[in-house]
Amino acid sequence: MKIKRGDMVVVVAGDDRSDIPKPVQQVLDNGEKVVVEGVNLVYKHVKRGHPKSPQGGRLRMEKAIQSSNVMYYCNTCNRGVKLGLRYTSDGAKERFCRKCSTTVGQVSPPRTPYAQ
Ligand SMILES: [Zn+2]
């Protein structure tokens, strides 16, 4: 999966489907699941002594969703798009938008020539 933490995504399927891009907080299960801010909110019941709720009670928190339900949000296209991977001429690997082919950042650095 090409979605990374911090990416903006749109949820395209499921109960929380919407057109508004939201940030990815966590990528789990080797990319199969993602936690998206404000999406799939559940109540977690916690005991006393929890740092976020010393008295105990219910915490509102996000639960992971299937990453197939989200699409990367391209700022150029202003919509959810598919991402591709490609190598640049200097050997760096980058992700790019399959619609407008804009780069969305390096995945690995340029190839460094071996010292002889
Ligand atoms: Zn695009």
Side-chain angles (χ1 to χ4, degrees):
M1 217 357 197
K2 298 160 195 123
I3 302 286
K4 298 207 277 189
R5 183 152 53 98
D7 281 350
M8 295 300 281
V9 296
V10 285
V11 180
V12 295
D15 293 343
D16 289 311
R17 178 166 69 187
S18 86
D19 295 329
I20 303 147
K22 297 174 184 108
V24 173
Q25 292 183 332
Q26 241 182 325
V27 178
L28 302 167
D29 289 356
N30 204 17
E32 272 181 51
K33 288 186 166 188
V34 288
V35 177
V36 184
E37 193 179 291
V39 172
N40 201 17
L41 287 170
V42 295
Y43 286 108
K44 183 176 170 64
H45 297 257
V46 294
K47 284 188 180 179
R48 283 189 312 268
H50 190 280
K52 276 191 181 162
S53 177
Q55 312 245 289
R58 300 190 304 171
L59 283 181
R60 205 80 164 115
M61 60 183 294
E62 290 92 353
K63 207 162 173 271
I65 56 170
Q66 291 293 323
S67 54
S68 60
N69 291 354
V70 304
M71 286 180 92
Y72 184 87
Y73 182 81
C74 176
N75 286 318
T76 315
C77 306
N78 288 317
R79 49 168 285 188
V81 295
K82 288 183 184 174
L83 288 180
L85 284 170
R86 69 183 171 198
Y87 289 94
T88 54
S89 51
D90 58 1
K93 200 177 185 182
E94 65 178 16
R95 300 187 299 167
F96 68 99
C97 168
R98 281 206 188 272
K99 261 253 161 334
C100 62
S101 123
T102 310
T103 179
V104 286
Q106 277 187 7
V107 179
S108 57
R111 205 184 309 116
T112 43
Y114 293 108
Q116 300 224 341

